[in-house]
Amino acid sequence: MELSLLSALNAERAARRAAVLVTDIGTGAQRLVKAAELQQDPLAELIDRQLRTGKSGSVEVDGKAYFLTVQAPPPRLIVTGAVHISQAMAPMAKLLDLDVTVIDPRTAFATPERFPEVTLLPEWPDEVLKRQPLDAYTAFVALTHDPKIDDPGLVAALNSDCFYIGALGSRKTHGRRLERLAAAGFDEVQTARIHAPIGLDIGAVSPAEIALAILGEIVSTLRGPRRKPATEPA
């Protein structure tokens, strides 16, 4: 690999930005495709599909073989609310290789006993997210029902390019949330990024079931549809 390509690849890694090294297997020629420049590449569709899997692999186009070396940051899950749902979600998320951080200034809830082996920050979300900005490989989930805690996190998420934003609450609760966000300057296109009601519609009732529904929606958003709809031929 040329030194300039290696340097560029390391810069993308340090900035938590995805990139793919495209190698022409026949000639050995290489080029680096940054996520921000993906749509300009002739192999854009194939590279995007490979990025969604998070794995490297070979592809063939017009009789030419390429190897796509994927460099994708480890996905993160940022949660506001040290509640029962996040208690159930944290160990499940770790099994999915999600780096989990739970933020809640309420120290009665945000305790190591309730959240063992999890990055737990008993602070206000706006303070935390100034130090740790959200990025394209971060999912943000608001679970407290308290606007003083959830709204600053949602504002930070909407101002970022994080791949998933979800918020717990009924349609009525979400309607009031949208009014507050509109007053803060966000339009309908921006707030449409918020998944609410949160999670896949699996009829979830218990905290663990709701956590499962949320994580399923996060994985679906990150990886994209993996199966054809039932109406399509196999």
Side-chain angles (χ1 to χ4, degrees), residues 35 39 79 94 167 171 183 229:
Q39 297 307 318
V79 181
K94 293 185 72 173
R171 296 185 188 279

Side-chain angles (χ1 to χ4, degrees), residues 108-198:
F109 296 96
T111 66
E113 292 76 20
R114 299 182 73 231
F115 291 89
E117 301 180 5
V118 172
T119 300
L120 184 62
L121 301 175
E123 304 175 57
W124 292 96
D126 49 347
E127 296 173 357
V128 174
L129 297 178
K130 285 178 183 177
R131 302 194 309 266
Q132 302 178 18
L134 306 172
D135 58 37
Y137 277 79
T138 304
F140 175 80
V141 174
L143 297 178
T144 72
H145 286 297
D146 186 340
K148 296 190 301 297
I149 299 173
D150 283 344
D151 284 10
L154 288 167
V155 167
L158 290 171
N159 281 325
S160 77
D161 59 352
C162 61
F163 75 89
Y164 177 89
I165 306 172
L168 187 68
S170 65
R171 296 185 188 279
K172 184 177 180 180
T173 297
H174 187 55
R176 291 195 294 267
R177 180 186 293 130
L178 292 177
E179 290 175 0
R180 295 193 301 272
L181 291 172
F186 294 100
D187 60 32
E188 291 183 3
V189 174
Q190 292 171 302
T191 56
R193 294 175 61 198
I194 303 173
H195 293 258
I198 195 170

